[in-house]
Amino acid sequence: VRLGNWDSGGYGQSVTYTIRVTEDVGVLQVKYAVVSQSGGHARPEQPTFYLEILGMNNNQLSPTCGVADFRPPTSGMAEGWHIGSESDMYWREWTTIGINLQDYIGQDVKVRIRTSGCSPTAHWGYGYFTLGCSSGEIIGVTCGEKPRTLAVDPGFKYRWYKPNNPDEPFYAGQDSTAQELYIASNDSNLYACDLISLANEECYFTLRASAMARYPK
């Protein structure tokens, strides 16, 4: 979805999605990208992209990790921003927010996105976004033969570790920062993976899986 104005400023748009959290909704994923024209104004007057994830009482589920608030730089380069074909046009890479919703089963969660042009009306701003859910599980756990890899969702930084054996090093072929982790046939470790936001390394959620094969009784 594209939300906002890309012709002239002075306009604002907002949309709110309500999601009923059921048992099969593991992790809510919101992906967004921002494009803005800088008017060189002070921050309150610049075009705005604002996203927040809310609980039942309209409280923010995570003020640190469930909120995105972006306005373009007044001029020059700024962290996280790229300059477009014109010197006053700025854009940000696609970024994923992931929120584990297992503690909110049976509740309604809202995703609210708001965009606006600059308040003096001349400059524009808009954003692209997608909403999706994942199971909140590590892929590759099988019944019978041992998995060759354990995999998690794309769009994050990754930190794999062994909760029960934190001092045991990773072996040849394993990359603790990759989306997929190689598993040897004799590996019986419990693995955990932190999926870390590309926008804020303090924001992450954790998935766990055992490398042991599962056999039917």
Side-chain angles (χ1 to χ4, degrees):
V1 175
R2 180 170 67 178
L3 187 72
N5 187 272
W6 47 93
D7 184 14
S8 60
Y11 298 95
Q13 291 186 330
S14 179
V15 63
T16 300
Y17 291 88
T18 301
I19 301 163
R20 174 57 57 90
V21 183
T22 56
E23 292 185 359
D24 58 339
V25 178
V27 175
L28 172 67
Q29 294 190 6
V30 186
K31 301 182 181 182
Y32 63 88
V34 184
V35 184
S36 289
Q37 183 184 28
S38 175
H41 305 297
R43 178 177 169 83
E45 296 179 328
Q46 290 281 64
T48 301
F49 175 88
Y50 189 77
L51 179 154
E52 57 183 346
I53 301 174
L54 307 171
M56 289 184 63
N57 299 319
N58 287 327
N59 57 304
Q60 292 179 349
L61 287 189
S62 174
T64 302
C65 304
V67 176
D69 184 2
F70 292 115
R71 300 158 199 253
T74 55
S75 63
M77 297 296 295
E79 183 178 358
W81 289 95
H82 303 274
I83 296 179
S85 57
E86 301 175 14
S87 61
D88 63 347
M89 184 188 301
Y90 289 85
W91 57 278
R92 297 184 68 90
E93 300 275 2
W94 279 96
T95 301
T96 303
I97 291 178
I99 300 288
N100 196 319
L101 297 180
Q102 289 301 293
D103 291 338
Y104 303 96
I105 293 175
Q107 300 182 27
D108 288 337
V109 168
K110 297 178 182 179
V111 179
R112 180 175 296 158
I113 298 103
R114 184 177 74 246
T115 64
S116 65
C118 72
S119 56
T121 75
H123 305 99
W124 43 259
Y126 61 92
Y128 298 95
F129 67 93
T130 69
L131 298 180
C133 296
S134 68
S135 64
E137 298 178 351
I138 292 179
I139 302 167
V141 179
T142 61
C143 182
E145 295 186 5
K146 297 178 185 294
R148 301 300 295 174
T149 60
L150 297 177
V152 290
D153 294 327
F156 299 89
K157 294 180 181 178
Y158 308 100
R159 180 171 54 227
W160 291 89
Y161 54 96
K162 306 171 186 178
N164 296 343
N165 303 296
D167 297 326
E168 181 181 316
F170 286 82
Y171 46 81
Q174 287 192 312
D175 182 354
S176 63
T177 63
Q179 181 192 347
E180 295 188 355
L181 186 72
Y182 165 72
I183 299 296
S185 59
N186 62 346
D187 193 333
S188 60
N189 277 295
L190 172 68
Y191 284 97
C193 183
D194 294 338
L195 283 73
I196 307 165
S197 169
L198 297 176
N200 184 349
E201 292 194 357
E202 295 181 3
C203 300
Y204 64 90
F205 59 92
T206 303
L207 303 179
R208 293 178 173 83
S210 171
M212 292 183 65
R214 300 179 180 181
Y215 294 96
K217 294 181 70 173

